[in-house]
Amino acid sequence: MLALLALLIGRAISGARTDRRAEERRRLSRLLLEGGDIGRPDSALARTEAVRLTIELTELVRGSDREALLANAERLGVVEVLRKRLKSRTPQDRLMASEALAMFPGEADAVTAMLDDRNPDVRLGAALALAQNQVAPPAAELVRKLGLGTTERSLLVVSLMRDLVESDPEGVEAMLYDPALPDSAKLAATDALAASGRVEHAPLVAWMADAATEDSALQPRIYRALGRIGHPGGHAAIRRGLDSPWWQARAAAAEAAGKSGMVAACDKLGELLGDPEWWVRFRAGEALSHLGRSGRNALHYALEDGSDLAREAAKQTLAERGLA
């Protein structure tokens, strides 16, 4: 009986707490969205819900509505709560506070200080939040602070670079010329520049391809980036990649030639149909299939007069692409 009574009392208390929380959320939602007579929350529950609602609602509104919501949240004391959480002993609390605080105008300095946090996830999360809100420090400074390419190798680095390209493309470009920065960080920057789709980045990415001629691991990804950009400014570099001593680079350059419409490379791609490496032959055939009549002519020529390897590669490509 005592155990049953305790269970009932616990359920009643839990239900009452849930009801209070729901009522606070309704009240605070109106204040955040509509403004009005806003006073500072006088309970821990209200302060916690104010922070949660601010984070949730900012995902749903844009423009002037978002600005008004953040202003109302600041009047509710959300900023003060978040600043206190920046000093929490729990990394997850510091990370959440950094991400939320970066949304508020004038709080960039407080979040920037978290780039020196002892936890790498907090440092990276703060950097991402600053970049997403377009208040990040220069790209090269972030790379050095976070140890990008050395101690920090998270896939989120690519996301960070893509956000930085939107707010500071010149800073990301400048990274590629900095000899002190690691190649892996430069590669993330190259990928971000390529993913942006801005053709003005093509000459710089092409320069990176030439600068990495001694790096067999770096070159293929740069050629693929040039293929994604698809601008004629990268054609000369791609053409040189087709003659690379590394098969990985030749395959990537062949793929880029097809994606960027390099009809002038059809003869060279036809030669690569006889490459000793199967993957190069496959990419060359695939590229030719994308290059219209000139590509099909090169495939048929290889089928008739090429080496044994070239004939087999041309035959497979024509059959698979329905061009026979």
Side-chain angles (χ1 to χ4, degrees):
M1 291 294 293
L2 288 174
L4 180 59
L5 180 61
L7 181 62
L8 292 173
I9 292 173
R11 182 172 296 177
I13 293 173
S14 176
R17 186 183 297 115
T18 299
D19 291 342
R20 287 199 306 273
R21 180 171 177 267
E23 178 58 33
E24 281 292 352
R25 286 179 67 86
R26 285 192 290 268
R27 182 179 73 85
L28 292 169
S29 293
R30 288 194 298 270
L31 292 175
L32 286 168
L33 293 172
E34 301 172 8
D37 185 14
I38 296 179
R40 298 297 176 94
D42 56 2
S43 70
L45 174 64
R47 289 190 292 271
T48 298
E49 292 307 320
V51 170
R52 286 178 178 170
L53 279 169
T54 298
I55 295 171
E56 292 171 12
L57 292 174
T58 49
E59 295 293 325
L60 304 177
V61 295
R62 295 290 183 270
S64 59
D65 290 338
R66 190 174 190 268
E67 293 173 3
L69 188 150
L70 290 173
N72 291 335
E74 190 164 3
R75 291 166 61 196
L76 272 171
V78 169
V79 169
E80 285 82 352
V81 174
L82 292 172
R83 284 176 181 166
K84 289 180 181 178
R85 291 187 181 179
L86 289 179
K87 301 177 182 178
S88 169
R89 293 183 179 181
T90 306
Q92 186 61 34
D93 287 344
R94 299 198 302 276
L95 174 59
M96 183 278 294
S98 298
E99 292 172 342
L101 201 57
M103 298 186 296
F104 290 88
E107 297 301 318
D109 288 345
V111 182
T112 300
M114 302 307 291
L115 296 175
D116 296 316
D117 192 90
R118 59 186 177 276
N119 185 285
D121 293 332
V122 175
R123 295 197 297 270
L124 184 57
L128 284 164
L130 290 167
Q132 288 163 2
N133 289 279
Q134 300 189 355
V135 289
E141 180 182 338
L142 277 180
V143 169
R144 292 187 176 91
K145 274 185 170 291
L146 300 178
L148 301 184
T150 54
T151 59
E152 175 56 67
R153 299 178 184 274
S154 169
L155 291 176
L156 290 176
V157 172
V158 175
S159 176
L160 172 61
M161 287 297 168
R162 292 187 178 184
D163 287 333
L164 289 173
V165 165
E166 294 300 316
S167 60
D168 183 24
E170 293 81 9
V172 176
E173 289 180 352
M175 287 176 51
L176 304 186
Y177 297 103
D178 190 336
L181 297 181
D183 284 344
S184 54
K186 292 180 181 179
L187 185 55
T190 301
D191 284 343
L193 291 169
S196 72
R198 297 177 182 175
V199 297
E200 62 266 28
H201 298 316
L204 180 59
V205 178
W207 174 83
M208 273 293 291
D210 290 335
T213 53
E214 300 302 319
D215 192 329
S216 59
L218 185 60
Q219 268 198 325
R221 292 181 64 178
I222 297 176
Y223 290 128
R224 283 193 286 271
L226 285 170
R228 288 198 299 274
I229 294 175
H231 188 265
H235 284 184
I238 293 172
R239 181 64 179 78
R240 289 189 288 273
L242 296 174
D243 291 315
S244 172
W246 292 297
W247 72 263
Q248 296 92 336
R250 295 196 301 277
E255 179 183 3
K259 288 185 175 180
S260 58
M262 281 182 62
V263 175
C266 283
D267 288 345
K268 181 60 183 178
L269 290 168
E271 294 177 16
L272 291 180
L273 290 172
D275 194 275
E277 293 291 338
W278 177 88
W279 199 246
V280 178
R281 299 195 298 273
F282 173 78
R283 289 302 188 192
E286 182 181 54
L288 288 169
S289 72
H290 292 154
L291 294 176
R293 180 179 297 177
S294 297
R296 291 194 297 273
N297 289 342
L299 286 166
H300 284 292
Y301 179 83
L303 184 62
E304 296 174 3
D305 298 318
S307 65
D308 291 343
L309 288 175
R311 286 198 298 272
E312 183 61 26
K315 179 181 178 181
Q316 290 182 357
T317 301
L318 290 167
E320 290 171 1
R321 303 288 172 173
L323 302 174

